[in-house]
Amino acid sequence: VEVVPRGGRVVHLVGYGDGTGDLRSGAAVTVAMDTPYLLARATSPVLLATYSSSRASMTGLARVLAGKAEPTGRSPVKVAGLPATTCGD
């Protein structure tokens, strides 16, 4: 993944304690690190949940963002308006 100071795609991370005011419009990807509930209000075309901000979770996230791994899994909780399975396409 190439990191650029400006002009690239924005990957926005939200975590425990963040609210709708912490979401970023225009982000290409929104990642919920601890709880997935904010994803229901995010407008990014790509939504991901890691359920953790541990080193292992962030490494897995980086692999997905770089196209080196496919996101897998199911949400253990219902998030309004979103399917429990991962979305491809």
Side-chain angles (χ1 to χ4, degrees):
V1 174
E2 183 181 354
V3 177
V4 295
R6 61 183 160 270
R9 292 188 178 148
V10 173
V11 176
H12 187 68
L13 306 175
V14 290
Y16 185 75
D18 287 339
T20 55
D22 297 301
L23 293 171
R24 183 170 176 174
S25 66
V29 180
T30 297
V31 179
M33 295 184 297
D34 298 304
T35 63
Y37 302 109
L38 275 179
L39 293 178
R41 304 291 300 272
T43 59
S44 300
V46 176
L47 305 172
L48 297 169
T50 63
Y51 297 95
S52 167
S53 56
S54 69
R55 177 181 290 265
S57 291
M58 295 298 101
T59 298
L61 173 62
R63 289 183 47 76
V64 168
L65 293 172
K68 296 182 185 261
E70 290 290 321
T72 60
R74 296 178 59 83
S75 179
V77 296
K78 287 187 179 239
V79 178
L82 299 177
T85 56
T86 59
C87 299
D89 304 275

Coordinates of all heavy atoms in Angstrom, one line a residue:
V1 N 0.9 -1.2 0.0 CA 0.0 0.0 0.0 C 0.9 1.2 0.0 O 1.8 1.3 0.9 CB -0.9 0.0 1.2 CG1 -1.7 1.3 1.3 CG2 -1.8 -1.2 1.3
E2 N 0.7 2.1 -1.0 CA 1.5 3.3 -1.0 C 0.8 4.4 -0.1 O -0.4 4.6 -0.3 CB 1.6 3.8 -2.4 CG 2.4 5.0 -2.6 CD 2.5 5.6 -4.0 OE1 2.0 4.9 -4.9 OE2 3.1 6.6 -4.2
V3 N 1.6 4.9 0.8 CA 1.1 6.0 1.6 C 1.6 7.3 1.0 O 2.8 7.5 0.8 CB 1.6 5.8 3.1 CG1 1.1 7.0 3.9 CG2 1.1 4.5 3.6
V4 N 0.6 8.2 0.8 CA 1.0 9.5 0.2 C 0.5 10.6 1.2 O -0.5 10.5 1.9 CB 0.4 9.7 -1.2 CG1 1.0 8.7 -2.1 CG2 -1.1 9.6 -1.2
P5 N 1.2 11.8 1.2 CA 0.8 12.9 2.1 C -0.6 13.5 1.8 O -1.3 14.0 2.6 CB 1.9 13.9 2.0 CG 2.6 13.6 0.7 CD 2.4 12.1 0.4
R6 N -1.0 13.4 0.5 CA -2.3 13.9 0.1 C -2.6 13.4 -1.3 O -1.7 13.0 -2.1 CB -2.3 15.4 0.1 CG -1.4 16.1 -0.8 CD -1.4 17.7 -0.6 NE -0.2 18.3 -1.1 CZ 0.8 18.5 -0.4 NH1 0.9 18.2 0.9 NH2 1.9 19.1 -0.9
G7 N -3.9 13.4 -1.6 CA -4.3 13.0 -3.0 C -4.6 11.5 -3.1 O -5.0 11.1 -4.2
G8 N -4.4 10.7 -2.1 CA -4.6 9.3 -2.2 C -6.0 8.9 -1.7 O -6.8 9.8 -1.4
R9 N -6.2 7.7 -1.6 CA -7.5 7.2 -1.0 C -7.4 7.2 0.5 O -6.4 6.8 1.1 CB -7.8 5.8 -1.5 CG -8.1 5.7 -3.0 CD -8.5 4.4 -3.4 NE -8.8 4.4 -4.8 CZ -8.7 3.4 -5.6 NH1 -8.2 2.2 -5.1 NH2 -9.0 3.5 -6.8
V10 N -8.5 7.6 1.1 CA -8.5 7.7 2.6 C -9.1 6.4 3.2 O -10.2 6.0 2.8 CB -9.4 8.9 3.0 CG1 -9.5 9.0 4.5 CG2 -8.7 10.2 2.5
V11 N -8.3 5.9 4.1 CA -8.8 4.7 4.9 C -9.0 5.3 6.3 O -8.0 5.8 6.9 CB -7.8 3.6 4.9 CG1 -8.3 2.5 5.9 CG2 -7.5 3.1 3.5
H12 N -10.2 5.3 6.8 CA -10.5 6.0 8.0 C -10.8 4.9 9.1 O -11.7 4.1 8.9 CB -11.7 6.9 7.9 CG -12.0 7.7 9.1 ND1 -11.2 8.7 9.5 CD2 -13.1 7.7 9.9 CE1 -11.7 9.3 10.6 NE2 -12.8 8.7 10.9
L13 N -10.1 5.0 10.2 CA -10.3 4.1 11.3 C -11.2 4.7 12.4 O -10.9 5.8 12.8 CB -9.0 3.7 11.9 CG -7.9 3.1 10.9 CD1 -6.6 2.9 11.7 CD2 -8.4 1.9 10.3
V14 N -12.2 3.9 12.9 CA -12.9 4.4 14.1 C -12.9 3.2 15.1 O -12.7 2.1 14.8 CB -14.4 4.7 13.7 CG1 -14.5 5.9 12.9 CG2 -15.1 3.5 13.0
G15 N -12.9 3.6 16.4 CA -12.7 2.7 17.4 C -13.7 2.9 18.6 O -14.6 3.7 18.5
Y16 N -13.5 2.2 19.6 CA -14.3 2.3 20.8 C -14.4 3.7 21.3 O -13.4 4.4 21.4 CB -13.8 1.3 21.9 CG -14.7 1.3 23.1 CD1 -15.8 0.5 23.1 CD2 -14.3 1.9 24.3 CE1 -16.6 0.5 24.2 CE2 -15.1 1.9 25.4 CZ -16.3 1.1 25.3 OH -17.1 1.1 26.4
G17 N -15.6 4.2 21.6 CA -15.7 5.5 22.1 C -16.0 6.5 21.0 O -16.4 7.7 21.2
D18 N -15.8 6.2 19.7 CA -16.1 7.1 18.6 C -17.6 7.1 18.3 O -18.2 6.1 18.6 CB -15.3 6.7 17.3 CG -13.8 7.0 17.4 OD1 -13.4 7.9 18.2 OD2 -13.1 6.4 16.7
G19 N -18.0 8.2 17.8 CA -19.4 8.3 17.4 C -19.6 8.8 16.0 O -18.6 8.9 15.2
T20 N -20.8 9.0 15.6 CA -21.1 9.4 14.2 C -20.3 10.6 13.8 O -19.9 10.8 12.6 CB -22.6 9.6 13.9 OG1 -23.1 10.6 14.9 CG2 -23.3 8.3 14.1
G21 N -20.0 11.5 14.7 CA -19.3 12.7 14.4 C -17.8 12.4 14.1 O -17.1 13.3 13.5
D22 N -17.4 11.2 14.4 CA -16.0 10.8 14.1 C -15.9 10.2 12.7 O -14.8 9.9 12.3 CB -15.5 9.9 15.2 CG -15.4 10.5 16.5 OD1 -14.7 11.5 16.6 OD2 -16.1 10.0 17.4
L23 N -17.0 9.9 12.1 CA -17.0 9.3 10.7 C -16.5 10.4 9.7 O -16.7 11.6 10.0 CB -18.3 8.8 10.3 CG -18.8 7.6 11.1 CD1 -20.3 7.3 10.8 CD2 -18.0 6.4 10.8
R24 N -15.9 9.9 8.7 CA -15.3 10.9 7.7 C -16.0 10.7 6.3 O -15.8 9.6 5.7 CB -13.8 10.7 7.6 CG -13.2 11.6 6.6 CD -11.7 11.6 6.7 NE -11.1 12.4 5.7 CZ -9.8 12.7 5.7 NH1 -9.0 12.1 6.5 NH2 -9.3 13.5 4.7
S25 N -16.7 11.7 5.9 CA -17.3 11.6 4.6 C -16.2 11.6 3.6 O -15.2 12.3 3.7 CB -18.3 12.7 4.4 OG -17.7 13.9 4.4
G26 N -16.4 10.9 2.5 CA -15.4 10.9 1.4 C -14.3 9.9 1.6 O -13.5 9.7 0.7
A27 N -14.3 9.2 2.7 CA -13.3 8.1 2.9 C -13.6 7.0 2.0 O -14.8 6.6 1.8 CB -13.3 7.6 4.4
A28 N -12.6 6.4 1.4 CA -12.8 5.3 0.5 C -13.1 4.0 1.2 O -13.8 3.1 0.8 CB -11.5 5.0 -0.4
V29 N -12.5 3.9 2.5 CA -12.7 2.7 3.3 C -13.0 3.2 4.7 O -12.2 4.1 5.2 CB -11.5 1.8 3.3 CG1 -11.7 0.6 4.2 CG2 -11.1 1.4 1.9
T30 N -13.9 2.7 5.4 CA -14.1 2.9 6.8 C -13.9 1.6 7.5 O -14.5 0.6 7.2 CB -15.5 3.5 7.2 OG1 -15.6 4.8 6.6 CG2 -15.7 3.6 8.7
V31 N -13.0 1.6 8.6 CA -12.7 0.4 9.3 C -13.2 0.6 10.8 O -12.7 1.5 11.4 CB -11.2 0.1 9.3 CG1 -10.9 -1.2 10.1 CG2 -10.7 0.0 7.9
A32 N -14.0 -0.3 11.3 CA -14.4 -0.3 12.7 C -13.5 -1.3 13.4 O -13.5 -2.4 13.1 CB -15.9 -0.7 12.8
M33 N -12.7 -0.7 14.3 CA -11.7 -1.6 15.0 C -12.3 -2.4 16.2 O -11.8 -3.4 16.4 CB -10.5 -0.7 15.4 CG -9.8 -0.1 14.2 SD -8.3 0.7 14.7 CE -9.0 2.1 15.7
D34 N -13.2 -1.8 16.9 CA -13.6 -2.5 18.1 C -15.0 -3.0 18.1 O -15.3 -4.2 18.3 CB -13.4 -1.6 19.4 CG -11.9 -1.3 19.5 OD1 -11.1 -2.2 19.6 OD2 -11.6 -0.1 19.5
T35 N -15.9 -2.1 17.8 CA -17.3 -2.6 17.6 C -17.7 -2.1 16.2 O -17.3 -1.0 15.8 CB -18.3 -1.9 18.7 OG1 -18.2 -0.5 18.5 CG2 -17.8 -2.3 20.1
P36 N -18.6 -2.9 15.5 CA -18.9 -2.6 14.2 C -20.1 -1.6 14.0 O -20.4 -1.3 12.8 CB -19.3 -3.9 13.6 CG -19.9 -4.6 14.8 CD -19.1 -4.2 16.0
Y37 N -20.7 -1.2 15.0 CA -22.0 -0.5 14.9 C -21.9 0.8 14.1 O -22.9 1.2 13.5 CB -22.6 -0.2 16.3 CG -22.8 -1.5 17.0 CD1 -22.0 -1.9 18.1 CD2 -23.8 -2.4 16.6 CE1 -22.2 -3.1 18.8 CE2 -24.0 -3.6 17.2 CZ -23.2 -4.0 18.3 OH -23.3 -5.2 19.0
L38 N -20.8 1.5 14.2 CA -20.7 2.8 13.4 C -20.8 2.6 11.9 O -21.1 3.5 11.1 CB -19.4 3.5 13.8 CG -19.5 4.4 15.0 CD1 -18.2 5.1 15.2 CD2 -20.6 5.5 14.8
L39 N -20.5 1.3 11.5 CA -20.5 1.1 10.0 C -21.9 1.3 9.4 O -22.0 1.6 8.3 CB -20.0 -0.4 9.8 CG -18.5 -0.6 10.1 CD1 -18.2 -2.1 9.8 CD2 -17.6 0.3 9.3
A40 N -22.9 1.2 10.3 CA -24.3 1.4 9.8 C -24.5 2.8 9.3 O -25.3 3.1 8.5 CB -25.3 1.0 10.9
R41 N -23.7 3.7 9.8 CA -23.8 5.2 9.5 C -22.7 5.7 8.6 O -22.8 6.8 8.1 CB -23.8 6.0 10.8 CG -24.8 5.6 11.8 CD -26.2 6.0 11.4 NE -26.5 7.3 11.2 CZ -26.8 8.2 12.1 NH1 -27.0 7.9 13.4 NH2 -27.1 9.5 11.8
A42 N -21.7 4.8 8.3 CA -20.6 5.2 7.4 C -21.1 5.3 5.9 O -21.9 4.5 5.5 CB -19.5 4.3 7.6
T43 N -20.5 6.2 5.2 CA -20.9 6.3 3.8 C -19.9 5.8 2.8 O -20.0 5.9 1.6 CB -21.3 7.8 3.4 OG1 -20.1 8.6 3.7 CG2 -22.5 8.2 4.2
S44 N -18.8 5.2 3.3 CA -17.7 4.7 2.5 C -18.2 3.6 1.6 O -19.0 2.8 2.1 CB -16.5 4.2 3.3 OG -16.0 5.3 4.1
P45 N -17.7 3.4 0.4 CA -18.1 2.3 -0.4 C -17.5 1.0 0.1 O -18.1 -0.1 -0.2 CB -17.5 2.6 -1.8 CG -16.5 3.7 -1.6 CD -16.8 4.4 -0.3
V46 N -16.5 1.0 0.9 CA -15.9 -0.2 1.5 C -16.0 -0.1 3.0 O -15.5 0.9 3.5 CB -14.4 -0.4 1.0 CG1 -13.8 -1.6 1.7 CG2 -14.4 -0.6 -0.5
L47 N -16.6 -1.1 3.6 CA -16.7 -1.1 5.1 C -16.0 -2.4 5.6 O -16.4 -3.5 5.1 CB -18.2 -1.1 5.5 CG -19.0 0.1 4.9 CD1 -20.5 -0.1 5.3 CD2 -18.5 1.4 5.5
L48 N -15.2 -2.3 6.6 CA -14.5 -3.4 7.2 C -14.6 -3.3 8.7 O -14.6 -2.2 9.3 CB -13.0 -3.4 6.8 CG -12.7 -3.6 5.3 CD1 -11.2 -3.3 5.1 CD2 -13.1 -5.0 4.8
A49 N -14.6 -4.5 9.3 CA -14.6 -4.6 10.8 C -13.5 -5.5 11.2 O -13.3 -6.6 10.7 CB -15.9 -5.1 11.3
T50 N -12.6 -5.1 12.1 CA -11.5 -5.9 12.6 C -11.8 -6.5 14.0 O -11.2 -7.4 14.4 CB -10.2 -5.1 12.7 OG1 -10.3 -4.1 13.6 CG2 -9.8 -4.6 11.3
Y51 N -12.7 -5.8 14.8 CA -13.1 -6.2 16.1 C -12.0 -6.1 17.1 O -12.0 -6.6 18.2 CB -13.7 -7.6 16.1 CG -15.0 -7.7 15.3 CD1 -15.0 -8.1 14.0 CD2 -16.2 -7.3 15.9 CE1 -16.1 -8.1 13.3 CE2 -17.3 -7.3 15.2 CZ -17.3 -7.7 13.9 OH -18.5 -7.7 13.1
S52 N -10.9 -5.5 16.7 CA -9.7 -5.3 17.6 C -8.8 -4.3 16.9 O -8.8 -4.1 15.7 CB -9.0 -6.7 17.7 OG -7.7 -6.5 18.3
S53 N -7.9 -3.7 17.8 CA -6.9 -2.9 17.2 C -5.5 -3.5 17.6 O -4.5 -2.8 17.6 CB -7.0 -1.5 17.8 OG -7.0 -1.5 19.2
S54 N -5.5 -4.8 17.8 CA -4.3 -5.5 18.1 C -3.3 -5.5 16.9 O -3.7 -5.3 15.8 CB -4.5 -6.9 18.6 OG -5.0 -7.7 17.4
R55 N -2.1 -5.8 17.2 CA -1.1 -5.9 16.1 C -1.5 -6.9 15.0 O -1.4 -6.7 13.8 CB 0.3 -6.3 16.7 CG 1.3 -6.5 15.6 CD 2.7 -6.9 16.2 NE 3.3 -5.9 16.9 CZ 4.2 -5.0 16.4 NH1 4.6 -5.2 15.2 NH2 4.7 -4.1 17.2
A56 N -2.1 -8.1 15.5 CA -2.5 -9.1 14.5 C -3.7 -8.6 13.6 O -3.7 -8.8 12.4 CB -2.9 -10.4 15.3
S57 N -4.6 -7.9 14.3 CA -5.7 -7.3 13.5 C -5.3 -6.3 12.5 O -5.7 -6.2 11.4 CB -6.8 -6.7 14.4 OG -7.4 -7.7 15.2
M58 N -4.4 -5.4 12.9 CA -3.9 -4.3 12.0 C -3.0 -4.9 10.9 O -3.1 -4.5 9.8 CB -3.1 -3.3 12.8 CG -3.9 -2.5 13.8 SD -5.3 -1.5 13.0 CE -6.7 -2.6 13.3
T59 N -2.3 -6.0 11.2 CA -1.5 -6.7 10.1 C -2.5 -7.3 9.1 O -2.3 -7.2 7.9 CB -0.6 -7.7 10.7 OG1 0.3 -7.1 11.6 CG2 0.2 -8.5 9.7
G60 N -3.5 -7.9 9.6 CA -4.5 -8.5 8.7 C -5.2 -7.5 7.9 O -5.4 -7.6 6.7
L61 N -5.6 -6.3 8.5 CA -6.2 -5.2 7.8 C -5.3 -4.7 6.7 O -5.7 -4.5 5.6 CB -6.5 -4.1 8.8 CG -7.0 -2.8 8.1 CD1 -8.3 -3.0 7.4 CD2 -7.2 -1.7 9.2
A62 N -4.0 -4.5 7.0 CA -3.0 -4.1 6.0 C -2.9 -5.0 4.8 O -2.9 -4.6 3.7 CB -1.7 -3.8 6.6
R63 N -3.0 -6.3 5.1 CA -2.9 -7.3 4.0 C -4.2 -7.2 3.2 O -4.1 -7.3 1.9 CB -2.8 -8.7 4.6 CG -1.4 -8.9 5.2 CD -1.2 -10.4 5.8 NE -1.6 -11.4 4.9 CZ -0.9 -11.8 3.8 NH1 0.2 -11.2 3.5 NH2 -1.4 -12.8 3.0
V64 N -5.3 -7.0 3.8 CA -6.6 -6.9 3.0 C -6.5 -5.6 2.1 O -6.8 -5.7 0.9 CB -7.8 -6.9 3.9 CG1 -9.1 -6.4 3.1 CG2 -8.0 -8.3 4.5
L65 N -6.1 -4.5 2.7 CA -6.0 -3.3 2.0 C -5.0 -3.3 0.8 O -5.2 -2.7 -0.2 CB -5.7 -2.1 2.9 CG -6.8 -1.8 4.0 CD1 -6.2 -0.7 5.0 CD2 -8.1 -1.3 3.3
A66 N -4.0 -4.1 1.0 CA -2.9 -4.2 0.0 C -3.3 -5.2 -1.1 O -2.6 -5.4 -2.0 CB -1.6 -4.6 0.6
G67 N -4.4 -5.9 -0.9 CA -4.9 -6.9 -1.8 C -4.1 -8.3 -1.7 O -4.2 -9.1 -2.6
K68 N -3.5 -8.5 -0.6 CA -2.7 -9.7 -0.3 C -3.5 -10.7 0.4 O -3.1 -11.9 0.6 CB -1.4 -9.4 0.4 CG -0.5 -8.5 -0.4 CD 0.8 -8.3 0.3 CE 1.7 -7.3 -0.4 NZ 2.7 -7.9 -1.2
A69 N -4.7 -10.4 0.9 CA -5.6 -11.3 1.6 C -7.1 -10.9 1.3 O -7.3 -9.7 1.1 CB -5.3 -11.3 3.1
E70 N -7.9 -11.8 1.4 CA -9.4 -11.6 1.2 C -10.0 -11.5 2.6 O -9.6 -12.3 3.5 CB -10.1 -12.7 0.5 CG -9.7 -12.8 -1.0 CD -10.3 -11.6 -1.8 OE1 -11.4 -11.2 -1.5 OE2 -9.6 -11.1 -2.7
P71 N -10.9 -10.5 2.8 CA -11.6 -10.5 4.1 C -12.5 -11.7 4.3 O -13.1 -12.0 3.3 CB -12.3 -9.1 4.1 CG -12.5 -8.8 2.7 CD -11.3 -9.5 1.9
T72 N -12.5 -12.3 5.4 CA -13.4 -13.4 5.6 C -14.1 -13.2 7.0 O -13.8 -12.4 7.8 CB -12.6 -14.7 5.7 OG1 -11.7 -14.6 6.8 CG2 -11.8 -15.0 4.4
G73 N -15.1 -14.0 7.2 CA -15.8 -14.0 8.5 C -17.2 -13.5 8.4 O -17.7 -13.1 7.4
R74 N -17.8 -13.6 9.6 CA -19.2 -13.1 9.7 C -19.2 -12.2 11.0 O -18.5 -12.5 11.9 CB -20.1 -14.3 9.9 CG -20.3 -15.2 8.8 CD -21.2 -16.4 9.1 NE -22.5 -16.0 9.4 CZ -23.5 -15.7 8.6 NH1 -23.2 -15.7 7.3 NH2 -24.7 -15.3 9.0
S75 N -20.1 -11.3 10.9 CA -20.3 -10.4 12.1 C -21.0 -11.2 13.2 O -22.0 -11.9 13.0 CB -21.1 -9.2 11.8 OG -21.3 -8.4 12.9
P76 N -20.5 -11.2 14.4 CA -21.1 -11.9 15.5 C -22.3 -11.1 16.1 O -23.1 -11.6 16.9 CB -20.0 -12.0 16.6 CG -19.2 -10.8 16.3 CD -19.2 -10.6 14.8
V77 N -22.5 -9.9 15.6 CA -23.7 -9.1 16.0 C -24.3 -8.5 14.8 O -23.7 -8.3 13.8 CB -23.2 -7.9 17.0 CG1 -22.6 -8.5 18.3 CG2 -22.2 -7.0 16.3
K78 N -25.6 -8.1 15.0 CA -26.3 -7.5 13.9 C -26.0 -6.0 13.8 O -25.9 -5.3 14.9 CB -27.8 -7.6 14.1 CG -28.4 -9.0 13.8 CD -29.9 -9.0 13.9 CE -30.4 -10.4 13.6 NZ -31.2 -10.5 12.5
V79 N -25.7 -5.5 12.6 CA -25.5 -4.1 12.4 C -26.6 -3.7 11.4 O -26.7 -4.2 10.3 CB -24.1 -3.9 11.8 CG1 -23.9 -2.4 11.5 CG2 -23.0 -4.4 12.7
A80 N -27.4 -2.7 11.8 CA -28.5 -2.3 11.0 C -28.1 -2.0 9.6 O -27.2 -1.2 9.3 CB -29.1 -1.0 11.7
G81 N -28.9 -2.6 8.7 CA -28.7 -2.3 7.3 C -27.5 -3.0 6.6 O -27.3 -2.8 5.4
L82 N -26.8 -3.8 7.3 CA -25.6 -4.5 6.7 C -25.8 -6.0 6.9 O -26.3 -6.5 7.9 CB -24.3 -4.1 7.4 CG -24.0 -2.6 7.3 CD1 -22.7 -2.3 8.1 CD2 -23.8 -2.2 5.8
P83 N -25.3 -6.8 5.9 CA -25.4 -8.2 6.0 C -24.3 -8.8 7.0 O -23.3 -8.1 7.3 CB -25.1 -8.7 4.6 CG -24.2 -7.6 4.0 CD -24.7 -6.4 4.6
A84 N -24.6 -9.9 7.6 CA -23.7 -10.5 8.5 C -22.4 -11.1 7.9 O -21.4 -11.2 8.5 CB -24.3 -11.6 9.3
T85 N -22.5 -11.4 6.6 CA -21.4 -12.0 5.9 C -20.5 -10.9 5.3 O -21.0 -9.7 5.1 CB -21.9 -12.9 4.7 OG1 -22.7 -12.1 3.8 CG2 -22.6 -14.1 5.2
T86 N -19.3 -11.2 4.9 CA -18.5 -10.3 4.2 C -19.1 -10.0 2.8 O -19.7 -10.8 2.3 CB -17.0 -10.8 4.1 OG1 -17.1 -12.0 3.4 CG2 -16.4 -11.0 5.4
C87 N -18.8 -8.9 2.3 CA -19.3 -8.5 1.0 C -18.2 -8.5 0.0 O -17.2 -7.8 0.2 CB -20.0 -7.1 1.0 SG -21.4 -7.0 2.2
G88 N -18.4 -9.1 -1.1 CA -17.4 -9.0 -2.2 C -18.0 -8.3 -3.4 O -19.2 -8.0 -3.3
D89 N -17.3 -8.0 -4.4 CA -17.7 -7.3 -5.6 C -17.5 -5.8 -5.3 O -18.2 -5.0 -5.5 CB -19.1 -7.4 -6.0 CG -19.7 -8.8 -6.3 OD1 -19.5 -9.3 -7.4 OD2 -20.2 -9.4 -5.3

